[in-house]
Amino acid sequence: MSEGILSDQFYHKTIHLYSSVFGTMFSKLKIRRDSGLIQVPIAYAAQQKYNTRLEQDEDPNIVRFMKRTPRMSFQMNGLRRDPGRSKNKMYQLTSKDTIGITANGVKTQYNRVPFIFDYTLNVTTKYLDDMFQILEQILVKFNPSISIVVKDNPDLEQESAIVISPTGNSIEDAYEGLYENGREIVVQIQFELEGFLYMPTAEQGVIETIYLNYKDLDTLELLDTDVITEDDL
């Protein structure tokens, strides 16, 4: 009975890395008020889930975050394979530097698979001017996209350039009770991150010696032999 295709466990933490990179892009965003600069906090969570947790959870960190405006949150909504960037799937990635060489040989992987990761950034403010400041600072930087180099293949110690682009947005102005006291302006900005997922890592033996045999093309008689080792290269 053959083994299942998912019998070998592996985890490159690629999606975790991409999500961290996405959130970090917005982590230093500030707005200016008469009292000075205010840094806008950001957390990973859906807007609706945060609202539910505020009502059900007495965690002081969650309540403090929810009561503060302006604030931001983000989440990954899905991912899909990107056939437009696909390459030969039988091509093998290798790491030939000293980091990638183990006792058993060179680390190898079958070609990476391109994926598009969908993210939503939620921006919540109480005042329109706060929202306008945040939107201007974010949207002008994506012209039309941002490319970031990340080390997303730790087994082979290799880097990739990932591309992040906004794809759409929506705005909602809602309030409860008194207009100014309960007002929340929420903007959702959708993004696409063009990245990769990586195959399991295997180890391929290192070729240490090459034998070259020279033969007569007519008689196939062996004329000479060269032996090439690592010291000769």
Side-chain angles (χ1 to χ4, degrees):
M1 184 176 181
S2 61
E3 295 185 1
I5 61 173
L6 299 179
S7 59
D8 296 328
Q9 191 279 334
F10 69 96
Y11 181 41
H12 300 303
K13 299 187 72 173
T14 310
I15 302 175
H16 183 278
L17 172 66
Y18 290 160
S19 297
S20 297
V21 169
F22 182 85
T24 300
M25 289 196 308
F26 309 100
S27 62
K28 301 297 183 182
L29 194 150
K30 302 178 180 67
I31 64 169
R32 183 177 295 278
R33 288 182 179 167
D34 293 340
S35 57
L37 290 176
I38 298 175
Q39 183 163 327
V40 183
I42 186 170
Y44 184 92
Q47 179 73 19
Q48 294 84 353
K49 289 182 179 179
Y50 259 123
N51 291 336
T52 301
R53 290 190 65 179
L54 177 63
E55 298 171 356
Q56 300 177 353
D57 196 340
E58 294 301 323
D59 185 336
N61 294 323
I62 298 297
V63 174
R64 188 180 304 115
F65 180 83
M66 278 302 303
K67 288 183 177 180
R68 177 177 177 179
T69 56
R71 65 181 182 269
M72 295 185 294
S73 64
F74 72 99
Q75 67 177 136
M76 189 180 78
N77 303 312
L79 65 162
R80 59 192 187 279
R81 188 172 172 274
D82 185 6
R85 292 184 292 130
S86 295
K87 304 294 182 182
N88 182 0
K89 66 180 181 180
M90 299 307 294
Y91 178 80
Q92 286 194 336
L93 306 174
T94 62
S95 181
K96 297 180 180 179
D97 55 25
T98 54
I99 297 176
I101 297 177
T102 68
N104 298 322
V106 177
K107 292 181 179 179
T108 65
Q109 297 171 354
Y110 281 107
N111 211 352
R112 60 191 182 179
V113 184
F115 272 82
I116 293 177
F117 302 83
D118 296 312
Y119 288 90
T120 296
L121 177 70
N122 303 294
V123 183
T124 304
T125 68
K126 184 176 181 180
Y127 305 108
L128 272 175
D129 191 65
D130 290 353
M131 180 62 71
F132 293 158
Q133 287 190 55
I134 294 172
L135 289 179
E136 284 193 20
Q137 292 181 74
I138 292 176
L139 297 179
V140 74
K141 295 295 180 65
F142 293 87
N143 189 27
S145 61
I146 290 178
S147 180
I148 302 174
V149 176
V150 296
K151 186 177 289 185
D152 58 350
N153 192 350
D155 281 7
L156 302 189
E157 293 289 333
Q158 293 180 351
E159 297 177 337
S160 297
I162 60 173
V163 178
I164 303 174
S165 309
T167 59
N169 59 77
S170 62
I171 185 169
E172 178 183 357
D173 192 345
Y175 62 92
E176 295 179 359
L178 295 177
Y179 182 76
E180 287 298 328
N181 294 337
R183 186 185 193 189
E184 277 194 346
I185 306 168
V186 180
V187 169
Q188 291 188 330
I189 309 175
Q190 289 76 41
F191 292 87
E192 287 184 349
L193 186 154
E194 297 179 11
F196 302 91
L197 291 182
Y198 290 86
M199 292 292 187
T201 304
E203 293 181 342
Q204 179 176 292
V206 178
I207 298 175
E208 299 178 347
T209 305
I210 300 174
Y211 296 90
L212 293 178
N213 295 323
Y214 302 93
K215 294 184 177 182
D216 186 291
L217 294 179
D218 295 325
T219 65
L220 299 182
E221 177 186 357
L222 181 64
L223 302 177
D224 197 5
T225 299
D226 280 341
V227 179
I228 302 175
T229 64
E230 286 185 298
D231 296 335
D232 300 321
L233 300 177

